[in-house]
Amino acid sequence: MSVLSRPLRSIVLAPALRGARRFQQPSLRSALPLLNVRFAASSVSGRPGSQTIEHARQNVKEEVGNSLTDWARSIAGGVFTVDSVKPVKDSFIGITTAVATTVPTPYLVMGLAGGLPYIASAGTTVYLSYQAGLATAGTLTNIDPGVALTILDQALNFQVTYGAVLLSFLGALHWGMEFAGLGGYKGYPRLILGVSPAVIAWSTIALQPTSALLCQWLGFTALWYADNRATAAGWTPKWYSQYRFYLSILVGTCIIGSLAGTSYWGPVAGHGLLSHDLTLIREERKKYKPEGAGVVAGDIEAVEGDPTSDAYVVVRHKFKQNKDAN
């Protein structure tokens, strides 16, 4: 190798070799930016991660909105392949509004009207639970605790009975759809779906009121899920699943409110307070409010019947008895 070529090699090849070494063995400082970029990217959505608080707020808002949209589609039974259901905006409000506008007004009005007695019964149950709690605690002394609990028990039975009627009616709608051939004749599957809620509702009447309400809540929830699947399969009108969802929310809220009220404010007659406990409560109340006793002036008196009488208590005229004695 000549002397002239040696400087040329050192001038031209040395920088290239040094560059190759740097490429083969990158330093940790040069790799950190690459690691940061990879960690900041989202492998699920393919979108950049949150770099600031504003980015995080925007991402959370979009994810919640997407979740609510998917939820609205699930509630409606996924009926958006039908041309008549086209939401103006692909959001929870847009989808809910699009389906709600297709519900015929008479069906909506009568459905809500049918829920009013159930709302009234639930409100009455909660109020009577509060009154029964005061009576058993001795705070409310103008009503006997046994009477208060009996009235509460009757209110619960009324709510259970009306709930059984509602559950049976909602199941019977499927028989009407089968008779009309809505979505085609399905035969036994739809007929069994229609009669099952009536069997469940009938069996709850034999249970204690609170247990019956819990079983009815499960029945309403299961029936809505079946209605949701039936709507997706084309067995019902396209608005039926969402219509049933809000009716189920109404009934479910009333049931939960009644159970919460009876559990929080006091026991329920029949399974929370025994007759022995009622006797103790009544005796305790007599210490604070003794029963009145005395003689009431007048011409009529009630006395205990003697062995020759045909009644335990004899009501007679005082002056007439005195004349007979004389």
Side-chain angles (χ1 to χ4, degrees):
M1 183 179 296
S2 62
V3 179
L4 295 176
S5 63
R6 187 174 300 168
L8 180 63
R9 184 180 64 181
S10 61
I11 294 174
V12 176
L13 297 179
L17 293 175
R18 287 196 299 269
R21 295 192 191 97
R22 286 197 302 268
F23 179 77
Q24 293 174 359
Q25 300 178 356
S27 63
L28 182 60
R29 181 178 300 177
S30 61
L32 285 177
L34 297 176
L35 294 174
N36 290 335
V37 172
R38 291 189 58 168
F39 289 157
S42 175
S43 59
V44 178
S45 62
R47 301 178 57 187
S50 303
Q51 302 295 335
T52 63
I53 298 298
E54 291 297 328
H55 292 168
R57 186 182 295 112
Q58 182 66 22
N59 289 340
V60 170
K61 181 179 179 181
E62 291 178 356
E63 290 299 328
V64 172
N66 293 335
S67 299
L68 290 176
T69 301
D70 294 338
W71 188 36
R73 291 182 179 275
S74 300
I75 292 173
V79 296
F80 300 96
T81 55
V82 184
D83 294 336
S84 59
V85 181
K86 291 183 178 180
V88 178
K89 186 178 180 181
D90 194 19
S91 62
F92 182 86
I93 300 298
I95 294 173
T96 302
T97 303
V99 179
T101 53
T102 61
V103 180
T105 303
Y107 302 165
L108 187 61
V109 172
M110 295 304 297
L112 294 176
L116 292 179
Y118 204 77
I119 297 174
S121 65
T124 303
T125 298
V126 173
Y127 173 76
L128 292 177
S129 299
Y130 179 70
Q131 295 296 315
L134 294 179
T136 54
T139 305
L140 189 66
T141 58
N142 59 350
I143 184 173
D144 184 80
V147 175
L149 292 173
T150 301
I151 297 175
L152 171 60
D153 192 64
Q154 293 298 322
L156 283 169
N157 285 324
F158 176 82
Q159 185 175 358
V160 169
T161 304
Y162 192 75
V165 172
L166 284 180
L167 189 57
S168 302
F169 174 79
L170 293 174
L173 291 177
H174 288 280
W175 277 54
M177 297 177 193
E178 178 66 19
F179 293 162
L182 185 63
Y185 292 96
K186 307 301 178 183
Y188 286 110
R190 182 148 58 179
L191 294 177
I192 293 175
L193 174 60
V195 76
S196 297
V199 175
I200 296 174
W202 168 68
S203 63
T204 61
I205 298 178
L207 301 176
Q208 293 291 346
T210 51
S211 300
L213 287 177
L214 179 59
C215 292
Q216 287 184 4
W217 182 84
L218 295 175
F220 279 110
T221 303
L223 182 58
W224 172 79
Y225 179 78
D227 290 338
N228 179 269
R229 297 297 88 201
T231 303
W235 292 13
T236 67
K238 55 186 175 296
W239 45 263
Y240 188 69
S241 177
Q242 180 172 301
Y243 176 74
R244 280 281 294 104
F245 175 78
Y246 290 112
L247 291 181
S248 298
I249 287 293
L250 174 64
V251 173
T253 302
C254 292
I255 292 176
I256 294 174
S258 297
L259 293 176
T262 54
S263 298
Y264 181 77
W265 274 304
V268 181
H271 58 88
L273 206 64
L274 301 178
S275 59
H276 175 68
D277 299 325
L278 287 175
T279 302
L280 294 178
I281 292 174
R282 288 164 181 161
E283 291 178 355
E284 188 68 21
R285 291 179 60 179
K286 289 180 181 179
K287 297 179 182 179
Y288 299 97
K289 188 178 180 181
E291 295 181 357
V295 178
V296 179
D299 298 335
I300 304 298
E301 64 178 356
V303 296
E304 183 179 358
D306 55 28
T308 61
S309 302
D310 56 355
Y312 293 104
V313 178
V314 177
V315 180
R316 63 189 183 185
H317 197 281
K318 292 181 180 180
F319 298 104
K320 183 178 179 180
Q321 182 67 19
N322 293 332
K323 290 180 180 180
D324 295 340
N326 295 330

